[in-house]
Amino acid sequence: MYRALLVYFSGTGITRHFAQLIQEQMEEQGYLCDLLNLEELIDITVLWQKKPVALHYTIRAEVKRPLSKYPWPYIELQDALKAVTENPILSNLESEWEDYDVIGFGSPVYGFRPAPVMIRFLLDLPVFKKPKRVFSFATHDGAQGDYENFMSQVLTDKGLKFVGHIDHTFVYSASAVIRTSFNRLTAGRLLVQKSVQAKENIKIFIKYLNNLLQGIQDIYRIATPMSIIFGLPYRLIYSYGIDFLLNHFLFGFGIHKDKCIQCMTCVMQCPQGLIELDDDGYPLRLYHCMYCLRCLNWCPTDALYFSKLTNGKARFPGPEVLLEAAKQDELSARLKKH
Ligand SMILES: Cc1cc2nc3c(=O)[nH]c(=O)nc-3n(C[C@H](O)[C@H](O)[C@H](O)COP(=O)(O)O)c2cc1C
Ligand code: SF4
Ligand code: SF4
């Protein structure tokens, strides 16, 4: 029996959902599979704040709309890569993870790369002496960009043996915050449908892993020239679309004081620890962030917004709520039949 570990970060729950699907499929195939949320493994707020890595969109936000009250604390990704050192806090991971035959690292795609907190974690990993097999996984909205190459590069630099990558698009959770309404049932049905497709891909991936672990050489996927040619325009449009979305619809940090009940949810939920309360007890974000959208989505009174375009718009309730909406609908349809 093989043992697998899936280490993940998830902003709004979609990557967690994907990790759970992979776990479910692995267990069906006889694996023992553990899930590990990065936020339970370490205090990523502390880890990130010591050496914050910024992706392009955060840098652009700071240049365009500086939150000039504080000095700019971020390290650009290229500089972070050059200055990579092992973090003593994580040095025990090689022995802790010794029993796993394979480890997957997963994150949402942000700005065509893994989420900055996942990048920080990977850069801080020790260099493994034994080349353990690892793979990456991701959820995104159609433009994974450099994610896979980045993961392959960083994990290989850490002495690990990168064996593959799997990703999937589920529901466009990030764009919920600029829509006037968000239909939970429609999104729930889409999530169910996408999950069925994802399971099929996961099965193929696990079959490939099985062969690999049994020493049978196998190739997981080959990009055919036709798929590259047809995929390119789609990829370009998507890339620029997401770039446009990030540039125009995120950033800023507005608050409706009349709606805020000072519950601290946003403060507690921020994986980068960037929200504090001001002297009057209202949230204040110190710097531009990675825009995981948790504070916006999980605020119980819709008191927060990033730009005018997100003000008063819909919020993403998380995959569990969507799945529940789809389940209830199916149940009531069945009851009507009888
Ligand atoms: C700040 C930000 C940047 C994003 N950048 C990309 C991107 O470059 N390409 C893409 O396909 N999706 C992008 N997305 C969409 C997310 O990858 C997608 O919604 C993902 O499933 C969210 O997973 P989570 O719920 O685990 O956070 C972005 C989302 C956010 C919030
Ligand atoms: S989560 Fe919303 S209501 Fe709670 S403190 Fe933050 S802004 Fe105020
Ligand atoms: S401020 Fe909000 S969007 Fe930014 S990292 Fe924190 S929780 Fe995520």
Side-chain angles (χ1 to χ4, degrees):
M1 184 188 289
Y2 294 119
R3 289 199 66 188
L5 173 69
L6 304 174
V7 186
Y8 69 91
F9 167 76
S10 180
T12 55
I14 299 293
T15 311
R16 185 182 61 237
H17 174 69
F18 191 38
Q20 286 165 345
L21 291 180
I22 301 175
Q23 181 191 39
E24 189 187 293
Q25 292 306 308
M26 281 190 153
E27 290 188 339
E28 269 187 26
Q29 308 273 333
Y31 279 66
L32 265 179
C33 180
D34 292 330
L35 281 191
L36 183 56
N37 183 346
L38 200 56
E39 293 174 82
E40 283 164 21
L41 173 70
I42 39 151
D43 190 338
I44 52 174
T45 302
V46 174
L47 184 78
W48 180 86
Q49 279 189 353
K50 276 193 174 170
K51 294 177 279 179
V53 184
L55 298 185
H56 294 309
Y57 62 87
T58 309
I59 297 169
R60 194 172 44 209
E62 189 62 29
V63 172
K64 278 195 165 182
R65 305 167 180 84
L67 297 178
S68 52
K69 196 175 163 201
Y70 297 94
W72 174 239
Y74 295 96
I75 305 169
E76 288 203 24
L77 183 57
Q78 291 312 320
D79 294 335
L81 284 168
K82 277 182 216 149
V84 58
T85 47
E86 297 176 27
N87 189 330
I89 301 172
L90 302 175
S91 57
N92 57 334
L93 286 183
E94 176 155 25
S95 57
E96 269 184 33
W97 290 351
E98 199 176 347
D99 291 343
Y100 291 108
D101 299 293
V102 62
I103 302 177
F105 293 90
S107 159
V109 175
Y110 286 171
F112 318 124
R113 292 218 162 79
V117 288
M118 176 53 91
I119 295 180
R120 184 69 271 161
F121 170 72
L122 295 175
L123 296 184
D124 278 33
L125 279 179
V127 176
F128 283 62
K129 288 167 204 84
K130 286 187 199 157
K132 189 170 286 297
R133 289 192 171 96
V134 293
F135 66 92
S136 59
F137 61 97
T139 65
H140 55 77
D141 288 348
Q144 72 136 309
D146 224 16
Y147 185 102
E148 182 179 345
N149 291 342
F150 184 86
M151 287 299 233
S152 158
Q153 185 62 54
V154 172
L155 292 168
T156 307
D157 287 350
K158 292 293 177 182
L160 297 158
K161 190 169 166 38
F162 186 83
V163 297
H165 168 85
I166 180 163
D167 58 78
H168 211 79
T169 295
F170 289 89
V171 286
Y172 300 125
S173 55
S175 64
V177 297
I178 57 166
R179 286 193 230 157
T180 43
S181 66
F182 186 84
N183 188 316
R184 294 176 178 198
L185 178 56
T186 312
R189 283 181 184 146
L190 182 65
L191 184 57
V192 171
Q193 185 196 330
K194 294 276 185 173
S195 303
V196 172
Q197 291 166 3
K199 279 184 198 172
E200 290 312 308
N201 292 340
I202 296 168
K203 276 183 194 155
I204 297 169
F205 187 70
I206 298 174
K207 201 172 156 216
Y208 154 76
L209 280 183
N210 278 338
N211 285 341
L212 206 73
L213 295 171
Q214 284 164 24
I216 305 165
Q217 281 307 318
D218 201 357
I219 296 169
Y220 167 52
R221 58 178 181 188
I222 310 166
T224 61
M226 288 316 269
S227 72
I228 294 169
I229 293 164
F230 285 121
L232 198 63
Y234 172 78
R235 214 175 133 163
L236 282 175
I237 292 166
Y238 238 109
S239 298
Y240 284 111
I242 286 175
D243 195 77
F244 182 83
L245 207 84
L246 288 173
N247 208 1
H248 290 81
F249 301 130
L250 291 179
F251 310 134
F253 192 79
I255 168 148
H256 294 291
K257 289 191 173 172
D258 54 327
K259 284 189 177 175
C260 176
I261 53 169
Q262 303 188 329
C263 66
M264 301 268 292
T265 303
C266 54
V267 178
M268 311 292 281
Q269 281 292 332
C270 178
Q272 294 188 302
L274 287 180
I275 307 178
E276 285 185 358
L277 296 186
D278 67 13
D279 294 343
D280 299 323
Y282 293 107
L284 178 81
R285 195 186 53 177
L286 302 181
Y287 307 110
H288 283 287
C289 62
M290 63 177 172
Y291 293 94
C292 72
L293 303 177
R294 252 192 226 175
C295 54
L296 234 64
N297 286 324
W298 300 169
C299 169
T301 60
D302 286 347
L304 292 176
Y305 59 93
F306 283 159
S307 72
K308 281 183 189 155
L309 282 154
T310 67
N311 190 3
K313 294 293 164 57
R315 295 292 180 250
F316 181 66
E320 290 80 11
V321 173
L322 305 188
L323 292 174
E324 187 56 30
K327 196 174 140 193
Q328 289 306 328
D329 181 61
E330 207 189 307
L331 278 178
S332 58
R334 265 196 226 155
L335 282 175
K336 266 185 206 159
K337 266 189 189 173
H338 291 292

